[in-house]
Amino acid sequence: MKRRSGIRGVAAIAAPAAVAMTLAATALPARAVDGCLVLLCLAAPNWRAIPQCVPPIKQLFRDLARGKSFPSCSMAGAGNRARHAWARAPSFCPPQYTLAFDTEGGVFHHCHYSGAISVSIDGVPFSQTWWSFGGDSVTEFSPSAKTQLGSWDTRFDDDYAKWQATQPPPSIDLF
């Protein structure tokens, strides 16, 4: 493979990046996905266990990966909403899914997930579904959501407990 260098090489890389950024900034919402159904599915204890939720949620992840905006639901009611944000490790990525790599330039952080979809019900945070370009996802439920649901997919909590068990104990300062 021939390596590009100099100004032409930078231009060859910058031009497609600029086009991609422009397209992402002007991306249309995902039209094939019903925003109200997505909101209901993401607020479920386990969207994978509901056959009617699997296709629209998988389509949502594909649409987000392609730069489309999160679909809206005009019937959601006041305080009921969902929004999407891209993951940024280590500041916006759960610690159990954050990897740190030592490089010559310092520590590089990587999040296992690409983004998170936060759902609020009656203005109160309900859940946050972390998703990846490969289609994997895990949902973190708020304490109030857990109280309301009674049972939920515990994968996020289980992963956190496993990660926490690998952490060194906090140092105790005796003086």
Side-chain angles (χ1 to χ4, degrees):
M1 179 190 304
K2 190 173 183 180
R3 185 174 177 207
R4 292 182 178 175
S5 63
I7 301 222
R8 286 197 318 178
V10 171
I13 293 168
V19 170
M21 288 174 49
T22 302
L23 289 174
T26 61
L28 298 173
R31 300 270 185 236
V33 178
D34 177 353
C36 296
L37 179 59
V38 164
L39 182 61
L40 288 171
C41 290
L42 290 173
N46 183 356
W47 64 264
R48 286 182 192 85
I50 303 169
Q52 297 88 342
C53 287
V54 174
I57 297 298
K58 286 187 173 187
Q59 182 64 48
L60 171 69
F61 294 160
R62 282 191 298 275
D63 289 346
L64 291 172
R66 291 182 174 110
K68 293 185 179 179
S69 63
F70 194 85
S72 63
C73 174
S74 60
M75 298 182 293
N80 300 328
R81 68 182 196 105
R83 65 178 181 80
H84 175 259
W86 294 103
R88 291 175 312 282
S91 63
F92 185 61
C93 182
Q96 69 269 37
Y97 305 121
T98 301
L99 302 173
F101 302 97
D102 287 320
T103 67
E104 288 180 17
V107 178
F108 170 76
H109 292 91
H110 173 74
C111 187
H112 177 75
Y113 292 99
S114 306
I117 302 162
S118 302
V119 175
S120 294
I121 306 293
D122 294 328
V124 177
F126 190 81
S127 65
Q128 196 162 45
T129 300
W130 294 88
W131 67 276
S132 70
F133 287 122
D136 186 23
S137 71
V138 64
T139 301
E140 173 185 13
F141 291 97
S142 70
S144 73
K146 292 175 182 178
T147 300
Q148 291 175 45
L149 295 171
S151 68
W152 60 92
D153 181 353
T154 62
R155 180 175 160 209
F156 182 92
D157 302 319
D158 297 341
D159 289 348
Y160 183 79
K162 288 177 196 169
W163 172 82
Q164 187 70 34
T166 66
Q167 300 307 298
S171 61
I172 298 173
D173 198 11
L174 299 176
F175 299 98

